[in-house]
Amino acid sequence: MASIIVNVSCNVQGIKGLEFQNYVGLKASTNSKLNCVKTAIKALPPRFLVVRASERQDGPIKKMGLSDAECEAAIVAGKVPEAPPVPPKPAAPTGTPVVHSLPLNRRPRRNRKSPVLREAFQETQLSPANLVYPLFIHEGEEDTPIGAMPGCYRLGWRHGLVEEVGKARDVGVNSVVLFPKIPDALKSSTGDEAFNDNGLVPRAIRLLKDKYPDLVIYTDVALDPYSSDGHDGIVREDGVIMNDETVHQLCKQAVSQARAGADVVSPSDMMDGRIGAIRDALDAEGFEHVSIMSYTAKYASSFYGPFREALDSNPRFGDKKTYQMNPANYREALVEVHEDESEGADILLVKPGLPYLDIIRLLRDNSSLPIAAYQVSGEYSMIKAGGVLKMIDEEKVMLESLLCLRRAGADIILTYFALQAARCLCGEKR
C-alpha cells in the first residue's frame, strides 16, 4: 500500500512560559506548515470470516458450516478470522501533563475499575436476612402514626401487626422485635403487667406464631413500658433503681414471653446479673431452646427520644444514667461483654448503632458470639428528615448506614428501615 502524504497549513499561537513538550496536545509553533504523513501499512493475509460482536443482527449469527478440522486448517494456513480491532488508547484532555509512570508495584485502584470487579471484591454484604424489624403495638384496632418517626406506626395487634409482618416476609425479613404501648391504667411501680400471660405482648406473639410459625420473634425484657415511673426497674422512694428486685421481675417477664412462643428474649434494662438469672429461670421452666440477646452495651444516649414518644415511656423523673452506660466510655463495654458471655448470653447487642461503630468493632474483636446493632429511632428520624428536606438522598444514605453497621462487625441490625431497605435490596420501588 502506498504512503499518503497530506500537506496542511495551520497557525498555532505560542504561549509564553509554557513548556509544550510536557503537555498533551500543545505544540510550540507559529505560522508553520505541518507535513502529516500516514505511514504505509503492510497488507495482511486474506481473511475468510469477519467477526463483529457489536454488529446488529436480525437473527442468529450466520455460521459458515465449517467443521472443526477445516477451521483449524484455515488457521494453520494463515487465514486468521478478523476480530474487532484493539480499541485505541483514550486521549487525555488537552493540557494534561506528560509524566513518567509512578514506580508502583501495587495499584489498589485496579480492583475498583469496574462495577463487576467492585462487586466481586466487596467485603461486606447486606441482605434482608441481616435485618430485624422493630414494631410498635398497642391495644387499638387502628394503626396510629408516630409523629417523630415518619413511616412508623403503633400497629393494632390484631390486624396492622399481622399485615406489616406479612409485608416484611414478602421481601425476606423474617425477624421482628415487639415493643408495646401499655395503657396507663395497667402501669404500676413494680411493673407486674410485664409478666401477665394474657398481656399485649404474649397475645401478639401467639397470634403471629399462629399465622407465621417460622417467624423469628424477639421480645424486649424491661419494665419501662409497664412502669408508672417510666424507668427500666423498680424505683425506691429515694429515686434509686433497685437492681436485684428488678431482676426478679425480669425473670418472670422473660418466662412469660417464652411461654407465649418467643424465640429470643432481649433484656434491655442494663441491670447487673440479669443474664445469668434469666438463663436459669428459662432453663428451670423448660425453655432451654429460647435464646437471650443481651443489650450488652446500651448507652445513656440522646438518640432515643422518638422511641420514648412512640411508647409514651419517658421517665417520670431523673434519667437512666445509673444503669445505662456513659457515652464517653469505651473500655467499660469489655466488662459488660465478659459478664454477659459468662452468664450465658447468645447474642450481644450495641445500642445506638452508627454513633458507636467503635464499640461494635470492639465487641466483634473480643467475642465469638453474634453481634447485633440497634439503629435507633433518632438515627432513623434524622435520615428521614434529611430526605424530606432534600438535603440527602434518603435511600442511598439508608443503605450506606446499614452497610456501615455490617462492616463494623454487626451480624444482625435492628432497624426501622427493615422493610424499606429490604425492598430496595430486592429491587422493588419504594
Side-chain angles (χ1 to χ4, degrees), residues 137 200 366:
I137 57 176
L200 177 56
N366 286 275

Side-chain angles (χ1 to χ4, degrees), residues 186 192-203 206 252 256:
L186 295 178
D192 291 359
E193 180 65 17
F195 45 87
N196 176 3
D197 285 343
N198 204 36
L200 177 56
V201 169
R203 273 184 277 126
R206 296 199 300 268
K252 291 193 286 185
S256 176

Side-chain angles (χ1 to χ4, degrees), residues 165-215:
V165 170
K167 294 175 186 176
R169 286 167 58 87
D170 286 344
V171 287
V173 177
N174 203 37
S175 299
V176 300
V177 56
L178 302 177
F179 294 100
K181 196 279 183 188
I182 301 299
D184 288 344
L186 295 178
K187 296 180 180 181
S188 66
S189 58
T190 54
D192 291 359
E193 180 65 17
F195 45 87
N196 176 3
D197 285 343
N198 204 36
L200 177 56
V201 169
R203 273 184 277 126
I205 294 172
R206 296 199 300 268
L207 182 67
L208 288 175
K209 282 295 186 179
D210 181 66
K211 177 71 173 178
Y212 309 114
D214 63 334
L215 178 70

